[in-house]
Amino acid sequence: MTDTPTLVAGLGNPGPKYAANRHNVGFMVVDALAKRIGGRFAVARKARAEVCEARLGVGGPRVILVKPMTFMNLSGESVGPLAQYFGIPPESVIAVHDELDIPFGQIRIKRGGGEGGHNGLRSLTKVLGTKDYARVRFGVGRPPGRQDAADYVLKDFAKAERPEVDLNIELAADAVEAIIEKGFVMAQNVINAPTE
């Protein structure tokens, strides 16, 4: 068994102005993971990111949790150098991000595929040189009426949505752990299974 860590990139925008935005669910999920494993983020200035190195449980797999501080559209500029520094291949990278094409309240995982207009994913793909990395997709749903998608994701969740958001942050963190501990295919069978 190799001790190559998994890099988990929570995508979002830095600063308090964006902290509760739909677009920042990636940050929220890696914060939840860090809390679970008792880790703390430290600033990695050269990579322009906050990084938390830890293990999932005692003697468990190594993880590198990353919050790029480059703003969403340049996320790859943080993730790429960190993956290179830690010797992490793209197939051991997991991106956690908001997803307009999934209804609010649902979590889905996939490996590869298109970016669906998500500039954070586009940046990761460019820097990693492949689309073949895992994604934990946090459904935020489509904007109501004629609201612009960019404006919608840069708004905070509605007060009525907050309880479900908190639950889904934990479910997305569970999905990340499942990918790392059980492997992608088994995790996908559980996470993406239809609910009744």
Side-chain angles (χ1 to χ4, degrees), residues 1-6 55 59-63 86-89 91-92 180:
M1 183 172 124
T2 177
D3 200 31
T4 301
T6 300
R55 289 191 179 272
R62 289 175 58 209
V63 294
F86 287 104
I88 301 171
E91 59 269 15
S92 293
I180 296 168

Side-chain angles (χ1 to χ4, degrees), residues 25 29 36 103-107 136 138-139 157 161-175:
V25 294
V29 172
R36 285 182 182 188
F104 174 73
Q106 294 184 19
I107 306 296
V136 173
F138 190 112
F157 286 100
E161 294 173 318
R162 277 309 310 180
E164 194 167 350
V165 169
D166 294 339
L167 171 65
N168 287 330
I169 288 168
E170 295 302 322
L171 292 174
D174 291 346

Side-chain angles (χ1 to χ4, degrees), residues 112-137:
E115 290 96 5
H118 197 293
N119 291 329
L121 293 177
R122 189 172 290 128
S123 178
L124 257 68
T125 296
K126 180 180 176 186
V127 172
L128 295 174
T130 182
K131 294 179 180 183
D132 192 32
Y133 52 89
R135 297 109 187 263
V136 173
R137 305 159 71 209

